[in-house]
Structures are given as C-alpha cells and as structure tokens.
Amino acid sequence: MVTTHSHPQYDGDDPLMLAPVCSIFRRFLHDQGLKFTSERAHILDTVLTKTEVFEAEQLLNEMRSSDQKVSKATIYRTLKHLVECQIIEEVLLDPRQTHYQTCIGRPPTGHLMCVESGKIVEFPLEEIRELVNRICDEHGFQHVGHRLVIQGISPEAAQQDRDEAS
Amino acid sequence: MVTTHSHPQYDGDDPLMLAPVCSIFRRFLHDQGLKFTSERAHILDTVLTKTEVFEAEQLLNEMRSSDQKVSKATIYRTLKHLVECQIIEEVLLDPRQTHYQTCIGRPPTGHLMCVESGKIVEFPLEEIRELVNRICDEHGFQHVGHRLVIQGISPEAAQQDRDEAS
DNA sequence: ATCGATGCAAAAACTTTGCATCGGT
DNA sequence: ACCGATGCAAAGTTTTTGCATCGAT
C-alpha cells in the first residue's frame, strides 16, 4: 500500500486556516535548518490566495503591485521549498513554463486544458488512485505524486473555429 | 530512400509500417503547402528509432555523430510539425525541458518516473480512457490527448537512500 | 555572532527568430 | 521561378547562480 500524508484542511474561504499552513512551512524550514523570513511569509501568503494554477512571474507582479517587494530569485527559491514541503505542486501543463498550484488540504485534481484557448478546468482525481497505486506496486515504486492532464478543445474554441471557417 | 532502414524498436510486427508513417508525414506537409525535404526525412527516420522518451538535443547529437548534418533550428522546427501531425507527442515530464515520444501506431502509455534517479517506466493507459472520455463529455470538450505521469521513488533509489543513511 | 537569505545582475539552459542562401515542387 | 526550408548566429524566455550585504536565530 502506498503512503498517504494528511495535512490539516486548508479552506480558501477561511482566513483562519492560513495559520496552520504557515506553521507547517515554518516547521519544515526549521527542520532543515532554514529560516522563516518575512519574504517567505509574504510569498506563502500570496500563494495561498491563489485558487487556480499560477506562474512565478504572476506572483512577482502581484506582490510588486501590492507594494511587497521581493526579488525574482527569492520567488523561485521559495517556490522550490514550498514544493518540497508539499504545500504547492508543479502542474506541467506546458513544457515551456512551470505552473504551480496549491495542493495542501485539497483533494488531488486533474486538469482539462483547451489547446486553443488555454482555458483550464479542474476535475477530481480519486478514480485513478487505485490504478496509480497498482502501477506503483507493480514496479516497486514508492508513490510520491501523480498528474493527469487531458488536452482538448473547449466548446467555446470549437464554436469560434466554426465561425472562422464560414 | 531514408525510410527503408530497419528500425527494430518501432516496427515490432511489421517493418513495412515505416513507409506509411513517412507517407503520412508527406501528405501532412503537402496539405499545408510545406515541403518534404531530406532534412525532414532524416529527422523522421531518427525519431522513429526511438523507443523511449527523447529530447531535441539528443536527436541532434545522434544525427551529428552519424554523419547526417542538421541544424538545431531545423530539429526544433521539424519536431513541431511532427507533433502537429501526431506522429510524436510532447510528454511533459519535466518543466525545464520538452520531452517527446513517438505516439503513432502505438497504444497510449503513461509514465512512471523516479524523482530521484530520473528513471522512466512506461505503462499502458487503456484503463483511464473511459474516465477521460467522461470528463471531456461533461465539459463539452473535444478530446485531443491526455497524459498520466506518476512520480515515485524507484526500488533502486530507495535502496540507495537506505545505504546512504547508514 | 553565526550562517543562511536576499537582491541584483550575470549566466545558464532551452527554444525561437531574422536573414541570406539553398532547394523542392 | 516561386516560395518555403535551411543554417547560422543572435535574440528571447524562463530559471539558476555568484557575490556582497542583510537579518533571523
């Protein structure tokens, strides 16, 4: 059987749940002999406002326009730690840029992506859990994570294609 | 003609399947008003020897060391066409580099990847087809493709971790 | 007072593009 | 002959790194 880690439930609607995630990150950093700085706190804060997939650059712009100044380098360095700490995960929608998403306290999701418009729809991923576990077992792998990305054409894009064809 | 070499990895049952792939590409190019050049033929040839995931740079090195000279730019330009033509697909294992794999004439596979060693194991993907179709239907998407990547720790890497810990 | 963290700019890694020339059709 | 394709090098993107200084513990 594959190990599952449980984290306190994080609810985007409830600001009080921010503290636990922050503590988790703090403990993680402390355990590694790393420091909890105000920059890291601000980045985590901004990350936790994200309900959808986001990019490093986005984070940087948002933080700058809300007068919290952080360098690009620190953003990248901190995102790495947040991934290791399993607060966020890399989504891999596009080979040319890393996309991130909060994963702590939320059930795993797959991503349905429109190849024409870039629109992304999330969907629950429970159903493949059994398959994933079996594949891992068959090859003696210890499960770390999994991602399902479906590429398609959204109804809107299909309609637009039809309009343009006529 | 470049497409008459034997490619044990790809042909499996029928070496004659190579010609059809070449024709498919040719027709694809023709239909777009593009040209079937000897560079493109060589690249397709080399691509079809690949049984596993590969990178653009790898292709370039292999072609150079086997006296076929192609530029990096042409490799990238041709890979794009091969993706569009659905002879190969992008695999998205790593956000820092595009990985490709031949997909024409093979059943779709998922990828089990060791996060420590980078080892990759493929597995058949039929089982999630129904789920994928259902998700597409539910959102009115027209299916284009899908990929499942499982990340884990391979038995070898796990053993090595234990060795290092002691 | 330690180290690790930060910011900046430079570098790195991968991919794309401009342009003169070549070559399929 | 036309117009897309090629090679080269330069440019573009995203991410990483070196280094002097700052700041958490």
Side-chain angles (χ1 to χ4, degrees), chain A residues 1-4 128-146, chain B residues 111-113 119 121-123 127 150-156:
Chain A
M1 189 50 193
V2 190
T3 48
T4 13
I128 65 162
R129 194 55 217 229
E130 194 199 337
L131 167 66
V132 167
N133 287 345
R134 193 173 69 247
I135 301 288
C136 284
D137 286 351
E138 276 170 15
H139 296 91
F141 274 56
Q142 191 180 324
H143 178 263
V144 170
H146 56 277
Chain B
H111 295 85
L112 174 57
M113 179 181 50
K119 177 184 172 184
V121 181
E122 283 184 75
F123 58 88
E127 287 176 74
I150 304 176
Q151 299 159 301
I153 298 173
S154 67
E156 300 77 27

Side-chain angles (χ1 to χ4, degrees), chain B:
Chain B
M1 171 35 82
V2 278
T3 51
T4 57
H5 304 152
S6 82
H7 298 284
Q9 303 86 331
Y10 172 69
D11 49 41
D13 317 72
D14 182 5
L16 296 178
M17 282 308 284
L18 284 170
V21 176
C22 186
S23 312
I24 288 167
F25 190 36
R26 231 166 168 145
R27 186 170 326 128
F28 169 86
L29 291 171
H30 183 265
D31 291 353
Q32 316 252 321
L34 306 175
K35 289 165 184 171
F36 182 74
T37 63
S38 65
E39 286 85 355
R40 287 179 178 168
H42 285 135
I43 292 169
L44 176 55
D45 248 28
T46 309
V47 161
L48 291 180
T49 65
K50 296 294 181 189
T51 53
E52 312 199 336
V53 168
F54 62 90
E55 297 150 30
E57 199 73 22
Q58 253 176 53
L59 227 51
L60 186 67
N61 293 337
E62 276 185 44
M63 294 186 70
R64 281 190 174 159
S65 62
S66 70
D67 77 33
Q68 301 168 352
K69 42 187 182 306
V70 206
S71 71
K72 191 177 292 193
T74 298
I75 296 258
Y76 279 107
R77 287 188 276 232
T78 301
L79 285 173
K80 270 192 177 161
H81 289 129
L82 289 171
V83 168
E84 267 189 279
C85 186
Q86 304 198 43
I87 289 173
I88 64 176
E89 62 185 359
E90 296 179 340
V91 179
L92 305 188
L93 297 173
D94 176 351
R96 279 157 261 292
Q97 187 167 18
T98 305
H99 290 82
Y100 300 91
Q101 181 162 41
T102 305
C103 62
I104 194 168
R106 347 167 66 203
T109 60
H111 295 85
L112 174 57
M113 179 181 50
C114 177
V115 294
E116 303 201 346
S117 68
K119 177 184 172 184
I120 293 167
V121 181
E122 283 184 75
F123 58 88
L125 212 50
E126 288 89 52
E127 287 176 74
I128 64 162
R129 194 55 218 229
E130 196 200 334
L131 166 66
V132 167
N133 287 343
R134 194 174 67 249
I135 301 289
C136 284
D137 287 352
E138 277 171 14
H139 297 91
F141 273 57
Q142 192 179 322
H143 177 263
V144 168
H146 56 277
R147 6 207 111 82
L148 175 58
V149 176
I150 304 176
Q151 299 159 301
I153 298 173
S154 67
E156 300 77 27
Q159 182 58 52
Q160 198 176 320
D161 288 348
R162 277 191 294 277
D163 293 348
E164 284 169 11
S166 61

Side-chain angles (χ1 to χ4, degrees), chain A residues 4 10 14 22 34 47 54 63 78 92 103 106-107 118 139 151 156 159 164:
Chain A
T4 13
Y10 168 68
D14 181 0
C22 186
L34 306 176
V47 161
F54 61 90
M63 294 186 68
T78 301
L92 304 187
C103 62
R106 343 167 66 205
H139 296 91
Q151 299 159 301
E156 299 77 25
Q159 183 57 52
E164 284 168 13

